[in-house]
Short mmCIF file of all heavy atoms in Angstrom, two decimals:
data_model
loop_
_atom_site.label_atom_id
_atom_site.label_comp_id
_atom_site.label_asym_id
_atom_site.label_seq_id
_atom_site.Cartn_x
_atom_site.Cartn_y
_atom_site.Cartn_z
N LEU A 217 0.78 -1.29 0.09
CA LEU A 217 0.05 -0.05 0.13
C LEU A 217 0.86 1.32 0.02
O LEU A 217 0.54 2.19 -0.77
CB LEU A 217 -0.96 -0.02 1.25
CG LEU A 217 -1.98 -0.92 1.21
CD1 LEU A 217 -2.89 -0.87 2.51
CD2 LEU A 217 -3.02 -0.58 0.08
N ILE A 218 1.88 1.36 0.77
CA ILE A 218 2.67 2.62 0.97
C ILE A 218 3.89 2.50 0.19
O ILE A 218 4.31 3.37 -0.59
CB ILE A 218 2.88 2.75 2.41
CG1 ILE A 218 1.65 2.95 3.40
CG2 ILE A 218 3.76 4.03 2.67
CD1 ILE A 218 1.78 2.93 4.81
N GLY A 219 4.74 1.44 0.45
CA GLY A 219 5.90 1.34 -0.24
C GLY A 219 5.98 1.29 -1.64
O GLY A 219 6.69 1.89 -2.50
N CYS A 220 4.85 0.58 -2.26
CA CYS A 220 4.77 0.40 -3.74
C CYS A 220 3.72 1.31 -4.25
O CYS A 220 3.47 1.24 -5.59
CB CYS A 220 4.32 -1.18 -4.08
SG CYS A 220 5.67 -2.29 -3.44
N GLY A 221 3.12 2.08 -3.52
CA GLY A 221 2.11 3.10 -3.98
C GLY A 221 0.71 2.59 -4.46
O GLY A 221 0.05 3.22 -5.10
N LEU A 222 0.48 1.30 -4.00
CA LEU A 222 -0.86 0.84 -4.27
C LEU A 222 -2.06 1.60 -3.78
O LEU A 222 -3.07 1.79 -4.36
CB LEU A 222 -1.07 -0.69 -3.77
CG LEU A 222 -2.32 -1.38 -4.13
CD1 LEU A 222 -2.45 -1.51 -5.69
CD2 LEU A 222 -2.29 -2.82 -3.43
N ALA A 223 -1.83 2.37 -2.57
CA ALA A 223 -2.88 3.10 -2.00
C ALA A 223 -3.17 4.26 -2.95
O ALA A 223 -4.32 4.91 -2.73
CB ALA A 223 -2.47 3.69 -0.54
N TYR A 224 -2.25 4.71 -3.83
CA TYR A 224 -2.66 5.88 -4.65
C TYR A 224 -3.54 5.43 -5.86
O TYR A 224 -4.37 6.31 -6.27
CB TYR A 224 -1.33 6.40 -5.32
CG TYR A 224 -1.59 7.51 -6.29
CD1 TYR A 224 -1.96 8.83 -5.78
CD2 TYR A 224 -1.59 7.38 -7.60
CE1 TYR A 224 -2.17 9.81 -6.57
CE2 TYR A 224 -1.82 8.39 -8.52
CZ TYR A 224 -2.10 9.73 -7.91
OH TYR A 224 -2.48 10.69 -8.86
N VAL A 225 -3.69 4.13 -6.09
CA VAL A 225 -4.64 3.71 -7.15
C VAL A 225 -6.09 4.18 -7.01
O VAL A 225 -6.73 4.70 -7.83
CB VAL A 225 -4.41 2.22 -7.53
CG1 VAL A 225 -5.45 1.75 -8.47
CG2 VAL A 225 -3.03 1.90 -7.95
N PRO A 226 -6.67 3.82 -5.73
CA PRO A 226 -8.00 4.20 -5.44
C PRO A 226 -8.19 5.74 -5.44
O PRO A 226 -9.18 6.33 -5.78
CB PRO A 226 -8.37 3.62 -4.07
CG PRO A 226 -7.10 3.18 -3.49
CD PRO A 226 -6.16 2.88 -4.57
N ILE A 227 -7.06 6.41 -4.93
CA ILE A 227 -7.10 7.91 -4.86
C ILE A 227 -7.21 8.46 -6.35
O ILE A 227 -8.03 9.36 -6.62
CB ILE A 227 -5.83 8.47 -4.17
CG1 ILE A 227 -5.93 8.04 -2.70
CG2 ILE A 227 -5.92 9.95 -4.36
CD1 ILE A 227 -4.74 8.47 -1.92
N PHE A 228 -6.36 8.00 -7.18
CA PHE A 228 -6.52 8.23 -8.69
C PHE A 228 -7.76 8.07 -9.33
O PHE A 228 -8.34 8.95 -9.92
CB PHE A 228 -5.31 7.52 -9.34
CG PHE A 228 -5.32 7.76 -10.83
CD1 PHE A 228 -4.77 8.85 -11.39
CD2 PHE A 228 -5.99 6.85 -11.73
CE1 PHE A 228 -4.80 9.09 -12.83
CE2 PHE A 228 -6.00 7.05 -13.03
CZ PHE A 228 -5.36 8.20 -13.58
N LEU A 229 -8.30 6.96 -8.92
CA LEU A 229 -9.72 6.62 -9.48
C LEU A 229 -10.90 7.62 -8.96
O LEU A 229 -11.65 8.01 -9.60
CB LEU A 229 -10.08 5.19 -9.29
CG LEU A 229 -9.20 4.19 -9.92
CD1 LEU A 229 -9.55 2.68 -9.47
CD2 LEU A 229 -9.39 4.30 -11.47
N LEU A 230 -10.68 7.90 -7.58
CA LEU A 230 -11.53 8.87 -6.99
C LEU A 230 -11.55 10.12 -7.74
O LEU A 230 -12.57 10.88 -7.95
CB LEU A 230 -11.45 8.86 -5.54
CG LEU A 230 -11.93 7.61 -4.81
CD1 LEU A 230 -11.43 7.69 -3.27
CD2 LEU A 230 -13.43 7.50 -4.83
N LEU A 231 -10.23 10.62 -7.88
CA LEU A 231 -10.00 11.99 -8.50
C LEU A 231 -10.53 11.93 -9.89
O LEU A 231 -10.93 12.95 -10.53
CB LEU A 231 -8.50 12.30 -8.39
CG LEU A 231 -7.96 12.68 -7.03
CD1 LEU A 231 -6.54 12.90 -7.02
CD2 LEU A 231 -8.58 13.85 -6.45
N LEU A 232 -10.37 10.75 -10.59
CA LEU A 232 -10.78 10.61 -11.96
C LEU A 232 -12.22 10.71 -12.28
O LEU A 232 -12.75 11.53 -13.08
CB LEU A 232 -10.18 9.28 -12.57
CG LEU A 232 -10.38 9.04 -14.02
CD1 LEU A 232 -9.54 9.97 -14.88
CD2 LEU A 232 -10.04 7.71 -14.36
N PHE A 233 -13.03 10.17 -11.25
CA PHE A 233 -14.40 10.02 -11.45
C PHE A 233 -15.31 11.03 -10.47
O PHE A 233 -16.49 11.37 -10.80
CB PHE A 233 -14.98 8.62 -11.35
CG PHE A 233 -14.34 7.70 -12.41
CD1 PHE A 233 -13.36 6.77 -12.03
CD2 PHE A 233 -14.88 7.80 -13.71
CE1 PHE A 233 -12.90 5.90 -12.97
CE2 PHE A 233 -14.25 6.99 -14.70
CZ PHE A 233 -13.36 5.97 -14.34
N PHE A 234 -14.67 11.18 -9.39
CA PHE A 234 -15.44 12.08 -8.37
C PHE A 234 -14.58 13.18 -7.85
O PHE A 234 -14.64 13.74 -6.70
CB PHE A 234 -15.82 11.20 -7.13
CG PHE A 234 -16.61 9.99 -7.51
CD1 PHE A 234 -15.94 8.80 -7.57
CD2 PHE A 234 -17.92 10.15 -7.93
CE1 PHE A 234 -16.66 7.64 -7.90
CE2 PHE A 234 -18.67 8.88 -8.23
CZ PHE A 234 -18.04 7.67 -8.33
N GLY A 235 -13.78 13.77 -8.70
CA GLY A 235 -12.62 14.67 -8.21
C GLY A 235 -13.25 16.05 -7.82
O GLY A 235 -12.76 16.58 -6.75
N PHE A 236 -14.34 16.51 -8.38
CA PHE A 236 -14.88 17.81 -7.92
C PHE A 236 -15.60 17.68 -6.63
O PHE A 236 -15.61 18.65 -5.85
CB PHE A 236 -15.88 18.20 -9.04
CG PHE A 236 -15.17 18.69 -10.37
CD1 PHE A 236 -15.31 17.84 -11.36
CD2 PHE A 236 -14.40 19.75 -10.44
CE1 PHE A 236 -14.62 18.04 -12.62
CE2 PHE A 236 -13.76 20.03 -11.61
CZ PHE A 236 -13.87 19.13 -12.74
N ASN A 237 -16.19 16.45 -6.35
CA ASN A 237 -16.82 16.27 -5.01
C ASN A 237 -15.63 16.17 -3.94
O ASN A 237 -15.80 16.80 -2.92
CB ASN A 237 -17.54 14.99 -4.90
CG ASN A 237 -18.70 14.98 -6.06
OD1 ASN A 237 -18.49 14.41 -7.15
ND2 ASN A 237 -19.84 15.50 -5.66
N ILE A 238 -14.53 15.60 -4.28
CA ILE A 238 -13.42 15.54 -3.25
C ILE A 238 -12.85 16.91 -3.01
O ILE A 238 -12.58 17.32 -1.92
CB ILE A 238 -12.43 14.58 -3.80
CG1 ILE A 238 -12.99 13.14 -3.88
CG2 ILE A 238 -11.03 14.65 -2.99
CD1 ILE A 238 -11.99 12.13 -4.46
N GLN A 239 -12.85 17.76 -4.13
CA GLN A 239 -12.23 19.11 -3.99
C GLN A 239 -13.06 19.99 -3.11
O GLN A 239 -12.63 20.75 -2.33
CB GLN A 239 -12.09 19.75 -5.38
CG GLN A 239 -10.75 19.60 -6.11
CD GLN A 239 -10.72 20.47 -7.28
OE1 GLN A 239 -11.59 20.60 -8.02
NE2 GLN A 239 -9.51 21.13 -7.40
N GLU A 240 -14.47 19.62 -3.21
CA GLU A 240 -15.41 20.46 -2.43
C GLU A 240 -15.29 20.04 -0.96
O GLU A 240 -15.28 20.97 -0.04
CB GLU A 240 -16.78 20.27 -2.91
CG GLU A 240 -17.82 21.18 -2.19
CD GLU A 240 -19.23 20.88 -2.87
OE1 GLU A 240 -19.37 20.26 -3.90
OE2 GLU A 240 -20.30 21.39 -2.22
N ALA A 241 -14.98 18.69 -0.69
CA ALA A 241 -14.79 18.30 0.71
C ALA A 241 -13.55 18.59 1.30
O ALA A 241 -13.50 18.83 2.48
CB ALA A 241 -15.23 16.77 0.70
N MET A 242 -12.55 18.58 0.42
CA MET A 242 -11.14 18.79 0.84
C MET A 242 -10.58 19.90 -0.01
O MET A 242 -9.82 19.52 -0.99
CB MET A 242 -10.43 17.47 0.94
CG MET A 242 -9.06 17.58 1.58
SD MET A 242 -8.20 15.98 1.71
CE MET A 242 -9.46 15.15 2.64
N PRO A 243 -10.80 21.22 0.16
CA PRO A 243 -10.27 22.15 -0.82
C PRO A 243 -8.82 22.28 -0.67
O PRO A 243 -8.25 21.91 0.30
CB PRO A 243 -10.99 23.40 -0.29
CG PRO A 243 -11.36 23.16 1.20
CD PRO A 243 -11.60 21.73 1.16
N LEU A 244 -8.38 23.15 -1.56
CA LEU A 244 -6.85 23.42 -1.74
C LEU A 244 -6.45 24.06 -0.45
O LEU A 244 -5.11 23.75 0.01
CB LEU A 244 -6.60 24.35 -2.96
CG LEU A 244 -5.17 24.30 -3.47
CD1 LEU A 244 -4.71 22.90 -3.86
CD2 LEU A 244 -5.01 25.28 -4.50
N SER A 245 -7.06 24.78 0.27
CA SER A 245 -6.70 25.37 1.49
C SER A 245 -6.50 24.48 2.57
O SER A 245 -5.66 24.84 3.58
CB SER A 245 -7.76 26.52 2.03
OG SER A 245 -9.03 25.83 2.15
N LEU A 246 -7.04 23.16 2.56
CA LEU A 246 -6.74 22.26 3.62
C LEU A 246 -5.43 21.52 3.38
O LEU A 246 -4.88 20.81 4.23
CB LEU A 246 -7.83 21.26 3.63
CG LEU A 246 -8.98 21.47 4.62
CD1 LEU A 246 -10.10 20.42 4.44
CD2 LEU A 246 -8.55 21.47 6.03
N ILE A 247 -4.79 21.72 2.30
CA ILE A 247 -3.62 20.84 1.78
C ILE A 247 -2.50 21.19 2.88
O ILE A 247 -1.79 20.13 3.30
CB ILE A 247 -3.22 21.24 0.43
CG1 ILE A 247 -4.14 20.42 -0.49
CG2 ILE A 247 -1.77 20.87 0.18
CD1 ILE A 247 -3.76 20.65 -2.02
N PRO A 248 -2.29 22.43 3.28
CA PRO A 248 -1.07 22.61 4.25
C PRO A 248 -1.21 21.75 5.64
O PRO A 248 -0.34 21.44 6.22
CB PRO A 248 -1.07 24.07 4.49
CG PRO A 248 -1.58 24.72 3.18
CD PRO A 248 -2.61 23.72 2.79
N VAL A 249 -2.60 21.69 5.94
CA VAL A 249 -2.80 20.86 7.27
C VAL A 249 -2.48 19.33 7.10
O VAL A 249 -1.73 18.73 7.84
CB VAL A 249 -4.22 21.03 7.61
CG1 VAL A 249 -4.51 20.10 8.82
CG2 VAL A 249 -4.66 22.42 7.95
N LEU A 250 -2.88 18.87 5.86
CA LEU A 250 -2.47 17.35 5.63
C LEU A 250 -1.01 17.28 5.34
O LEU A 250 -0.31 16.30 5.83
CB LEU A 250 -3.29 16.96 4.32
CG LEU A 250 -4.73 16.90 4.49
CD1 LEU A 250 -5.43 16.46 3.26
CD2 LEU A 250 -5.17 16.04 5.61
N ALA A 251 -0.37 18.27 4.73
CA ALA A 251 1.05 18.23 4.37
C ALA A 251 1.84 18.25 5.68
O ALA A 251 2.90 17.63 5.80
CB ALA A 251 1.45 19.44 3.50
N LEU A 252 1.33 18.98 6.66
CA LEU A 252 2.05 18.91 8.04
C LEU A 252 2.33 17.63 8.68
O LEU A 252 3.40 17.39 9.14
CB LEU A 252 1.25 19.77 9.03
CG LEU A 252 1.66 19.90 10.46
CD1 LEU A 252 3.02 20.54 10.54
CD2 LEU A 252 0.69 20.67 11.28
N PHE A 253 1.35 16.68 8.34
CA PHE A 253 1.39 15.36 8.97
C PHE A 253 2.02 14.27 8.02
O PHE A 253 2.29 13.20 8.56
CB PHE A 253 0.13 14.91 9.61
CG PHE A 253 -0.35 15.93 10.63
CD1 PHE A 253 -1.42 16.82 10.37
CD2 PHE A 253 0.11 15.86 11.86
CE1 PHE A 253 -1.84 17.67 11.41
CE2 PHE A 253 -0.31 16.83 12.87
CZ PHE A 253 -1.19 17.69 12.55
N ILE A 254 2.17 14.62 6.74
CA ILE A 254 2.71 13.77 5.76
C ILE A 254 4.01 14.16 5.16
O ILE A 254 5.02 13.49 5.25
CB ILE A 254 1.54 13.35 4.76
CG1 ILE A 254 0.36 12.85 5.39
CG2 ILE A 254 2.14 12.26 3.72
CD1 ILE A 254 -0.89 12.52 4.40
N SER A 255 3.87 15.21 4.46
CA SER A 255 5.02 15.75 3.69
C SER A 255 6.12 16.31 4.57
O SER A 255 7.26 15.92 4.35
CB SER A 255 4.54 16.73 2.72
OG SER A 255 3.78 16.24 1.70
N ILE A 256 5.82 17.16 5.52
CA ILE A 256 6.79 17.80 6.31
C ILE A 256 7.63 16.75 7.21
O ILE A 256 8.84 16.96 7.17
CB ILE A 256 6.12 18.90 7.22
CG1 ILE A 256 5.72 20.09 6.44
CG2 ILE A 256 7.09 19.21 8.38
CD1 ILE A 256 5.30 21.23 7.23
N PRO A 257 7.07 15.65 7.82
CA PRO A 257 7.88 14.74 8.41
C PRO A 257 8.84 13.97 7.38
O PRO A 257 9.90 13.52 7.87
CB PRO A 257 6.88 13.64 9.01
CG PRO A 257 5.69 14.43 9.06
CD PRO A 257 5.69 15.50 7.86
N HIS A 258 8.52 13.83 6.23
CA HIS A 258 9.34 13.21 5.31
C HIS A 258 10.64 14.03 5.01
O HIS A 258 11.71 13.52 4.83
CB HIS A 258 8.74 12.78 3.96
CG HIS A 258 9.03 13.31 2.82
ND1 HIS A 258 8.49 14.71 2.32
CD2 HIS A 258 9.85 13.21 1.76
CE1 HIS A 258 9.01 14.97 1.17
NE2 HIS A 258 9.85 14.08 0.74
N TYR A 259 10.54 15.31 5.06
CA TYR A 259 11.83 16.16 4.94
C TYR A 259 12.52 16.06 6.32
O TYR A 259 13.85 15.89 6.24
CB TYR A 259 11.36 17.66 4.83
CG TYR A 259 10.76 17.91 3.46
CD1 TYR A 259 9.38 18.09 3.50
CD2 TYR A 259 11.42 17.98 2.35
CE1 TYR A 259 8.70 18.34 2.24
CE2 TYR A 259 10.79 18.29 1.11
CZ TYR A 259 9.41 18.41 1.08
OH TYR A 259 8.71 18.78 -0.04
N GLY A 260 11.93 15.97 7.45
CA GLY A 260 12.56 15.76 8.76
C GLY A 260 13.30 14.54 8.77
O GLY A 260 14.34 14.45 9.42
N SER A 261 12.82 13.37 8.26
CA SER A 261 13.49 12.21 8.30
C SER A 261 14.74 12.11 7.70
O SER A 261 15.69 11.52 8.16
CB SER A 261 12.56 11.06 7.70
OG SER A 261 12.38 11.34 6.28
N THR A 262 14.98 12.99 6.55
CA THR A 262 16.26 12.99 5.96
C THR A 262 17.20 13.82 6.88
O THR A 262 18.43 13.63 7.06
CB THR A 262 16.09 13.82 4.58
OG1 THR A 262 15.38 13.06 3.77
CG2 THR A 262 17.50 13.98 3.99
N LEU A 263 16.69 14.95 7.43
CA LEU A 263 17.50 15.75 8.44
C LEU A 263 18.00 14.79 9.49
O LEU A 263 19.13 14.96 10.03
CB LEU A 263 16.82 16.93 8.89
CG LEU A 263 16.25 17.78 7.88
CD1 LEU A 263 15.40 19.00 8.59
CD2 LEU A 263 17.43 18.45 7.14
#
């Protein structure tokens, strides 16, 4: 799911067919909150 990216497949399909509903539920302004707990630690792990 994580190491090989399989979890991204359903995300891709949801964005493909229900993307606008997902955008409405999770707008671009929410991205920094999610990034805080996923993306930012990945930079920290290198440090």
